[in-house]
Coordinates of all heavy atoms in Angstrom, one line a residue:
M26 N 139.0 116.6 145.0 CA 139.0 115.6 146.1 C 138.0 116.0 147.2 O 138.1 117.1 147.7 CB 140.4 115.4 146.6 CG 140.5 114.4 147.7 SD 142.3 114.2 148.1 CE 142.2 114.0 149.8
D27 N 137.1 115.1 147.5 CA 136.1 115.4 148.6 C 136.8 115.2 150.0 O 137.6 114.2 150.2 CB 134.9 114.4 148.5 CG 134.0 114.8 147.3 OD1 134.0 116.0 147.0 OD2 133.4 113.9 146.8
S28 N 136.5 116.1 150.9 CA 137.0 116.0 152.2 C 136.1 115.0 153.0 O 134.9 114.9 152.8 CB 136.8 117.4 152.8 OG 137.9 117.9 153.4
K29 N 136.8 114.3 154.0 CA 136.1 113.4 154.9 C 136.5 113.6 156.3 O 137.7 114.1 156.5 CB 136.4 111.9 154.5 CG 136.1 111.6 153.1 CD 134.6 111.4 152.9 CE 134.3 110.9 151.4 NZ 133.0 110.8 151.1
I30 N 135.7 113.4 157.2 CA 136.0 113.5 158.6 C 135.4 112.3 159.4 O 134.3 111.9 159.1 CB 135.6 114.8 159.3 CG1 136.2 115.0 160.6 CG2 134.1 115.0 159.3 CD1 136.1 116.4 161.2
Q31 N 136.2 111.7 160.2 CA 135.8 110.5 161.0 C 135.3 110.9 162.4 O 136.0 111.7 163.1 CB 137.0 109.5 161.1 CG 136.6 108.2 161.7 CD 136.0 107.3 160.7 OE1 136.2 107.4 159.5 NE2 135.2 106.4 161.2
I32 N 134.1 110.5 162.8 CA 133.6 110.8 164.1 C 133.1 109.4 164.6 O 132.1 108.8 164.1 CB 132.4 111.8 164.1 CG1 132.9 113.1 163.6 CG2 131.8 111.9 165.5 CD1 131.8 114.1 163.4
G33 N 133.8 108.9 165.6 CA 133.6 107.5 166.1 C 133.8 106.6 165.0 O 134.8 106.6 164.2
N34 N 132.8 105.7 164.7 CA 132.8 104.7 163.6 C 132.2 105.2 162.4 O 132.0 104.5 161.4 CB 132.1 103.4 164.1 CG 132.8 102.7 165.2 OD1 134.1 102.8 165.2 ND2 132.1 102.1 166.1
Y35 N 131.8 106.5 162.3 CA 131.1 107.1 161.2 C 132.0 108.0 160.4 O 132.8 108.8 160.9 CB 129.9 107.8 161.6 CG 128.9 106.9 162.3 CD1 128.9 106.8 163.7 CD2 128.0 106.1 161.6 CE1 128.1 105.9 164.3 CE2 127.1 105.3 162.2 CZ 127.2 105.2 163.6 OH 126.3 104.3 164.2
T36 N 131.9 108.0 159.0 CA 132.6 108.9 158.2 C 131.6 109.9 157.6 O 130.6 109.5 157.0 CB 133.3 108.1 157.0 OG1 134.2 107.2 157.7 CG2 134.1 109.0 156.2
F37 N 131.9 111.2 157.7 CA 131.1 112.2 157.2 C 131.8 112.9 156.0 O 133.1 113.0 156.0 CB 130.9 113.3 158.3 CG 129.9 112.9 159.4 CD1 130.4 112.1 160.4 CD2 128.6 113.3 159.4 CE1 129.5 111.7 161.4 CE2 127.7 112.9 160.4 CZ 128.2 112.1 161.4
N38 N 131.1 113.4 155.1 CA 131.7 114.3 154.1 C 131.9 115.6 154.8 O 131.2 116.0 155.6 CB 130.7 114.5 152.9 CG 130.5 113.3 152.1 OD1 131.4 112.5 152.0 ND2 129.3 113.2 151.5
G39 N 133.0 116.3 154.4 CA 133.3 117.6 155.0 C 134.6 117.6 155.8 O 135.4 116.7 155.6
P40 N 134.8 118.5 156.6 CA 133.8 119.5 157.1 C 133.6 120.6 156.1 O 134.4 120.9 155.2 CB 134.4 120.0 158.3 CG 135.9 119.8 158.1 CD 136.0 118.6 157.3
Y41 N 132.4 121.3 156.2 CA 132.0 122.4 155.3 C 131.7 123.6 156.1 O 131.1 123.4 157.2 CB 130.8 122.0 154.4 CG 131.0 120.8 153.6 CD1 130.4 119.6 153.9 CD2 131.8 120.9 152.4 CE1 130.6 118.5 153.0 CE2 132.0 119.8 151.6 CZ 131.4 118.6 151.9 OH 131.5 117.5 151.1
S42 N 132.0 124.8 155.6 CA 131.5 126.0 156.3 C 130.1 126.2 155.9 O 129.6 125.9 154.8 CB 132.4 127.2 155.7 OG 131.8 128.4 156.1
L43 N 129.3 126.7 156.9 CA 127.9 127.0 156.6 C 127.7 128.2 155.7 O 126.7 128.4 155.1 CB 127.2 127.2 158.0 CG 127.0 126.0 158.9 CD1 126.3 126.4 160.1 CD2 126.3 124.9 158.1
Q44 N 128.7 129.1 155.7 CA 128.5 130.4 154.9 C 128.4 130.1 153.4 O 127.6 130.8 152.8 CB 129.7 131.3 155.2 CG 129.6 132.1 156.5 CD 130.0 131.3 157.7 OE1 130.8 130.3 157.5 NE2 129.5 131.6 158.8
N45 N 129.1 129.2 152.9 CA 129.1 129.1 151.4 C 128.8 127.7 150.9 O 129.2 127.3 149.8 CB 130.5 129.5 150.9 CG 130.8 130.9 151.2 OD1 130.0 131.8 151.0 ND2 132.0 131.2 151.7
T46 N 128.0 127.0 151.7 CA 127.6 125.6 151.2 C 126.2 125.6 150.8 O 125.3 126.1 151.5 CB 127.8 124.7 152.4 OG1 129.2 124.7 152.8 CG2 127.4 123.3 152.0
K47 N 125.9 125.0 149.6 CA 124.6 124.8 149.1 C 124.1 123.5 149.5 O 124.8 122.5 149.3 CB 124.5 125.0 147.6 CG 123.2 124.8 147.0 CD 123.1 125.1 145.6 CE 121.9 124.8 144.9 NZ 120.7 125.4 145.4
F48 N 123.0 123.4 150.2 CA 122.4 122.1 150.6 C 121.4 121.7 149.7 O 120.5 122.4 149.2 CB 121.9 122.3 152.1 CG 122.9 122.5 153.1 CD1 123.2 123.8 153.5 CD2 123.7 121.5 153.6 CE1 124.2 124.1 154.4 CE2 124.7 121.8 154.5 CZ 124.9 123.1 155.0
F49 N 121.4 120.4 149.4 CA 120.4 119.8 148.4 C 119.3 119.1 149.1 O 119.5 118.7 150.3 CB 121.2 118.8 147.5 CG 122.2 119.5 146.6 CD1 123.6 119.6 147.0 CD2 121.8 120.2 145.5 CE1 124.5 120.3 146.2 CE2 122.8 120.9 144.7 CZ 124.1 120.9 145.1
P50 N 118.2 118.9 148.4 CA 117.0 118.2 149.0 C 117.3 116.7 149.2 O 116.9 115.9 148.3 CB 115.9 118.5 148.1 CG 116.5 118.8 146.8 CD 117.9 119.4 147.1
Q51 N 117.9 116.3 150.2 CA 118.2 114.9 150.5 C 118.3 114.7 152.0 O 118.5 115.7 152.7 CB 119.4 114.4 149.8 CG 120.7 115.0 150.3 CD 121.9 114.6 149.5 OE1 121.8 114.4 148.3 NE2 123.1 114.5 150.1
E52 N 118.0 113.5 152.4 CA 118.1 113.2 153.9 C 119.5 112.9 154.3 O 120.4 112.5 153.4 CB 117.1 112.1 154.2 CG 117.5 110.8 153.6 CD 116.5 109.7 153.9 OE1 115.3 110.0 154.2 OE2 116.9 108.5 153.7
G53 N 119.8 113.0 155.6 CA 121.1 112.6 156.0 C 121.3 113.0 157.5 O 120.5 113.6 158.2
V54 N 122.5 112.6 158.0 CA 123.0 112.9 159.3 C 124.0 114.0 159.2 O 124.8 114.0 158.2 CB 123.6 111.6 160.0 CG1 124.2 111.9 161.3 CG2 122.5 110.5 160.1
Y55 N 124.0 114.9 160.1 CA 125.0 116.0 160.1 C 125.6 116.2 161.4 O 125.0 115.8 162.5 CB 124.4 117.3 159.6 CG 123.2 117.8 160.4 CD1 123.4 118.7 161.5 CD2 121.9 117.3 160.2 CE1 122.4 119.1 162.3 CE2 120.9 117.8 161.0 CZ 121.1 118.7 162.0 OH 120.1 119.1 162.8
A56 N 126.8 116.8 161.5 CA 127.5 117.1 162.7 C 127.9 118.6 162.7 O 128.3 119.1 161.7 CB 128.7 116.2 162.9
I57 N 127.7 119.3 163.8 CA 128.1 120.7 164.0 C 129.4 120.6 164.8 O 129.4 120.0 165.9 CB 127.1 121.5 164.7 CG1 125.7 121.5 164.0 CG2 127.6 122.9 164.9 CD1 125.8 122.1 162.6
L58 N 130.5 121.2 164.2 CA 131.8 121.0 164.8 C 132.4 122.4 165.1 O 132.1 123.4 164.4 CB 132.7 120.3 163.8 CG 132.2 119.0 163.2 CD1 133.2 118.5 162.2 CD2 132.1 117.9 164.3
K59 N 133.3 122.5 166.0 CA 134.1 123.7 166.3 C 135.5 123.2 166.0 O 136.0 122.3 166.6 CB 134.0 124.2 167.7 CG 135.0 125.3 167.9 CD 134.7 126.1 169.1 CE 135.7 127.2 169.4 NZ 135.7 128.3 168.6
Q60 N 136.2 124.0 165.1 CA 137.6 123.6 164.8 C 138.5 124.2 165.9 O 138.5 125.3 166.2 CB 138.0 124.2 163.4 CG 139.3 123.7 163.0 CD 139.6 124.1 161.5 OE1 138.9 124.9 160.9 NE2 140.6 123.5 160.9
I61 N 139.3 123.3 166.4 CA 140.3 123.6 167.5 C 141.7 123.8 166.9 O 142.4 124.7 167.3 CB 140.3 122.5 168.5 CG1 138.9 122.2 169.1 CG2 141.3 122.8 169.6 CD1 138.3 123.4 169.7
S62 N 142.0 123.0 165.9 CA 143.3 123.2 165.2 C 143.0 122.7 163.8 O 142.0 122.2 163.5 CB 144.4 122.3 165.9 OG 144.2 121.0 165.7
P63 N 144.0 122.7 162.9 CA 143.8 122.3 161.5 C 143.3 120.9 161.4 O 142.6 120.5 160.5 CB 145.2 122.5 160.8 CG 145.8 123.6 161.6 CD 145.4 123.4 163.0
E64 N 143.6 120.0 162.3 CA 143.2 118.6 162.3 C 142.3 118.2 163.4 O 141.9 117.0 163.5 CB 144.4 117.7 162.3 CG 145.4 117.9 161.1 CD 144.7 117.5 159.8 OE1 144.0 116.5 159.8 OE2 145.0 118.2 158.8
T65 N 141.9 119.1 164.3 CA 141.1 118.7 165.5 C 139.8 119.5 165.6 O 139.8 120.7 165.4 CB 141.9 119.0 166.8 OG1 143.2 118.3 166.6 CG2 141.2 118.5 168.0
Y66 N 138.7 118.8 165.9 CA 137.4 119.4 166.0 C 136.7 118.9 167.2 O 136.9 117.8 167.6 CB 136.5 119.0 164.8 CG 137.0 119.6 163.5 CD1 138.0 118.9 162.8 CD2 136.5 120.7 162.9 CE1 138.4 119.3 161.5 CE2 137.0 121.2 161.7 CZ 137.9 120.5 161.0 OH 138.4 121.0 159.8
N67 N 135.9 119.8 167.9 CA 135.0 119.4 168.9 C 133.7 119.2 168.3 O 133.2 120.0 167.5 CB 134.9 120.4 170.0 CG 136.1 120.3 171.0 OD1 136.9 119.4 171.0 ND2 136.3 121.4 171.8
V68 N 133.0 118.1 168.7 CA 131.6 117.9 168.2 C 130.7 118.6 169.1 O 130.7 118.4 170.3 CB 131.3 116.4 168.2 CG1 129.8 116.1 167.8 CG2 132.2 115.6 167.3
L69 N 129.9 119.5 168.5 CA 128.9 120.3 169.3 C 127.5 119.7 169.2 O 126.7 119.8 170.2 CB 128.8 121.7 168.8 CG 130.1 122.5 168.9 CD1 129.9 123.9 168.3 CD2 130.6 122.6 170.3
Y70 N 127.2 119.0 168.1 CA 125.8 118.5 167.9 C 125.8 117.5 166.7 O 126.6 117.7 165.8 CB 124.9 119.7 167.5 CG 123.5 119.4 167.4 CD1 122.6 119.5 168.5 CD2 122.9 119.1 166.2 CE1 121.3 119.2 168.4 CE2 121.5 118.8 166.1 CZ 120.7 118.9 167.2 OH 119.4 118.7 167.1
I71 N 125.0 116.5 166.9 CA 124.8 115.6 165.8 C 123.3 115.4 165.6 O 122.6 115.3 166.6 CB 125.5 114.2 166.0 CG1 127.0 114.4 166.0 CG2 125.0 113.2 164.9 CD1 127.7 113.1 166.2
G72 N 122.8 115.6 164.4 CA 121.4 115.5 164.1 C 121.1 114.8 162.8 O 122.0 114.4 162.1
Q73 N 119.8 114.7 162.5 CA 119.5 114.2 161.2 C 118.3 115.0 160.6 O 117.6 115.7 161.3 CB 119.0 112.7 161.3 CG 117.8 112.5 162.1 CD 117.4 111.0 162.2 OE1 118.3 110.2 162.4 NE2 116.1 110.7 162.2
T74 N 118.2 115.0 159.3 CA 117.2 115.7 158.6 C 116.6 114.9 157.5 O 117.3 114.0 156.9 CB 117.7 117.1 158.1 OG1 116.7 117.8 157.5 CG2 118.8 116.9 157.1
S75 N 115.4 115.1 157.1 CA 114.8 114.5 155.9 C 115.0 115.3 154.7 O 114.8 114.8 153.6 CB 113.3 114.2 156.2 OG 112.7 115.5 156.4
D76 N 115.5 116.5 154.9 CA 115.7 117.4 153.7 C 116.7 118.5 154.1 O 116.4 119.5 154.8 CB 114.4 118.0 153.2 CG 114.5 118.8 152.0 OD1 115.7 119.1 151.5 OD2 113.5 119.2 151.4
F77 N 117.9 118.4 153.6 CA 119.0 119.4 153.9 C 118.6 120.7 153.4 O 119.2 121.7 153.9 CB 120.3 118.9 153.3 CG 121.1 118.0 154.2 CD1 121.2 116.6 153.9 CD2 121.7 118.4 155.4 CE1 121.9 115.7 154.7 CE2 122.4 117.5 156.2 CZ 122.5 116.2 155.9
S78 N 117.8 120.8 152.4 CA 117.5 122.2 151.8 C 116.5 122.9 152.6 O 116.3 124.1 152.3 CB 117.1 122.0 150.3 OG 115.8 121.3 150.2
E79 N 115.8 122.3 153.5 CA 114.8 123.0 154.3 C 115.5 123.8 155.4 O 116.6 123.6 155.8 CB 113.8 122.0 155.0 CG 112.9 121.3 154.1 CD 112.0 120.4 154.8 OE1 112.1 120.1 156.0 OE2 111.1 119.8 154.1
R80 N 114.7 124.8 156.0 CA 115.2 125.7 157.0 C 116.3 126.6 156.6 O 116.9 127.3 157.5 CB 115.8 124.9 158.2 CG 114.9 124.1 159.0 CD 115.7 123.8 160.3 NE 115.4 122.5 160.8 CZ 116.0 121.9 161.7 NH1 117.1 122.4 162.2 NH2 115.7 120.7 162.1
G81 N 116.6 126.7 155.4 CA 117.7 127.5 155.0 C 119.0 126.9 155.4 O 120.0 127.5 155.5
F82 N 119.1 125.8 155.7 CA 119.1 124.5 156.4 C 119.2 124.8 157.9 O 118.4 124.3 158.7 CB 120.2 123.6 155.9 CG 120.4 122.4 156.8 CD1 119.4 121.6 157.2 CD2 121.7 122.2 157.2 CE1 119.6 120.5 158.0 CE2 121.9 121.1 158.0 CZ 120.9 120.3 158.4
L83 N 120.2 125.5 158.4 CA 120.4 125.6 159.8 C 120.2 127.0 160.3 O 120.5 127.3 161.5 CB 121.8 125.1 160.2 CG 122.1 123.7 159.9 CD1 123.6 123.3 160.1 CD2 121.3 122.8 160.9
D84 N 119.7 127.9 159.5 CA 119.6 129.3 159.9 C 118.7 129.5 161.1 O 119.0 130.4 161.9 CB 119.0 130.1 158.7 CG 119.9 130.2 157.6 OD1 121.1 130.0 157.8 OD2 119.4 130.5 156.4
D85 N 117.7 128.7 161.3 CA 116.8 128.9 162.5 C 116.8 127.6 163.4 O 115.8 127.4 164.0 CB 115.4 129.3 162.1 CG 114.7 128.3 161.2 OD1 115.4 127.3 160.8 OD2 113.5 128.5 160.9
H86 N 117.8 126.9 163.4 CA 117.9 125.6 164.2 C 117.7 125.9 165.7 O 118.2 126.9 166.2 CB 119.2 124.9 163.9 CG 119.2 123.5 164.4 ND1 119.3 123.1 165.7 CD2 119.0 122.3 163.7 CE1 119.2 121.8 165.8 NE2 119.1 121.3 164.6
H87 N 116.9 125.1 166.3 CA 116.6 125.3 167.8 C 117.9 125.3 168.7 O 117.9 125.8 169.8 CB 115.6 124.3 168.3 CG 116.1 122.9 168.2 ND1 116.8 122.4 169.3 CD2 116.1 122.0 167.3 CE1 117.1 121.1 169.0 NE2 116.7 120.9 167.8
A88 N 118.9 124.7 168.2 CA 120.1 124.5 169.1 C 121.2 125.6 168.9 O 122.2 125.5 169.5 CB 120.7 123.1 168.8
I89 N 120.9 126.6 168.0 CA 121.9 127.6 167.7 C 122.4 128.3 169.0 O 123.6 128.5 169.2 CB 121.4 128.6 166.7 CG1 121.4 128.0 165.3 CG2 122.3 129.9 166.7 CD1 120.8 128.9 164.2
P90 N 121.5 128.7 170.0 CA 122.0 129.3 171.2 C 123.0 128.4 172.0 O 124.0 128.9 172.5 CB 120.7 129.5 172.0 CG 119.7 129.7 171.0 CD 120.0 128.7 169.9
C91 N 122.8 127.1 172.0 CA 123.7 126.2 172.6 C 125.0 126.1 171.9 O 126.1 126.2 172.5 CB 123.0 124.8 172.7 SG 124.1 123.6 173.5
W92 N 125.0 126.0 170.6 CA 126.2 126.0 169.8 C 127.0 127.3 170.0 O 128.2 127.2 170.3 CB 125.9 125.9 168.3 CG 125.1 124.7 167.9 CD1 124.9 123.5 168.6 CD2 124.4 124.6 166.7 NE1 124.1 122.7 167.9 CE2 123.7 123.3 166.7 CE3 124.1 125.4 165.6 CZ2 122.9 122.8 165.7 CZ3 123.3 124.9 164.6 CH2 122.7 123.7 164.6
N93 N 126.4 128.4 170.0 CA 127.1 129.7 170.2 C 127.6 129.8 171.6 O 128.7 130.3 171.8 CB 126.1 130.8 169.9 CG 125.8 131.0 168.5 OD1 126.5 130.5 167.6 ND2 124.8 131.7 168.2
S94 N 126.9 129.3 172.6 CA 127.5 129.4 174.0 C 128.7 128.5 174.2 O 129.6 128.8 175.0 CB 126.4 129.0 175.0 OG 126.1 127.7 175.0
H95 N 128.8 127.4 173.4 CA 129.9 126.5 173.5 C 131.0 126.8 172.5 O 132.2 126.3 172.8 CB 129.5 125.0 173.4 CG 128.6 124.6 174.5 ND1 129.2 124.3 175.8 CD2 127.3 124.4 174.7 CE1 128.2 123.9 176.6 NE2 127.0 124.0 176.0
A96 N 130.7 127.5 171.5 CA 131.7 127.7 170.4 C 131.9 129.1 170.0 O 132.8 129.4 169.2 CB 131.4 126.8 169.2
G97 N 131.0 130.0 170.4 CA 131.1 131.3 169.9 C 130.3 131.4 168.6 O 129.9 130.4 168.0
S98 N 130.0 132.6 168.1 CA 129.2 132.7 166.9 C 130.0 132.6 165.7 O 129.4 132.8 164.6 CB 128.4 134.0 167.0 OG 129.3 135.1 167.1
T99 N 131.3 132.5 165.7 CA 132.1 132.4 164.5 C 132.5 131.0 164.2 O 132.4 130.2 165.0 CB 133.3 133.3 164.6 OG1 134.1 132.8 165.7 CG2 133.0 134.8 164.8

């Protein structure tokens, strides 16, 4: 069963951990979340990409310092 999460009027697949997720070469919209409780997340960032498999996907994203300052590095 695929996991889904609702953000506003949009439904996303996931959430997924970045540690063990393989990203495929396809375009799409993504959200970076911080889990607050088993059912609650804070949205840290929403972006789009033309290829999820690029960049290792998020290993060197320009917004990582911001995400870490708001959510911690874990």
Side-chain angles (χ1 to χ4, degrees):
M26 180 173 144
D27 288 331
S28 234
K29 304 282 184 188
I30 189 166
Q31 189 79 27
I32 300 175
N34 293 326
Y35 299 93
T36 302
F37 288 80
N38 291 332
Y41 302 107
S42 168
L43 293 177
Q44 280 79 25
N45 297 315
T46 299
K47 178 172 173 61
F48 294 97
F49 295 96
Q51 63 187 34
E52 62 184 22
V54 176
Y55 60 93
I57 303 298
L58 310 171
K59 173 164 177 75
Q60 189 169 15
I61 304 302
S62 71
E64 299 293 322
T65 306
Y66 296 84
N67 282 347
V68 177
L69 300 179
Y70 186 88
I71 294 179
Q73 67 182 38
T74 182
S75 60
D76 185 347
F77 277 106
S78 66
E79 287 181 356
R80 291 196 213 167
F82 169 53
L83 296 171
D84 293 338
D85 63 352
H86 196 282
H87 66 88
I89 287 173
C91 181
W92 304 338
N93 288 341
S94 73
H95 291 285
S98 58
T99 59

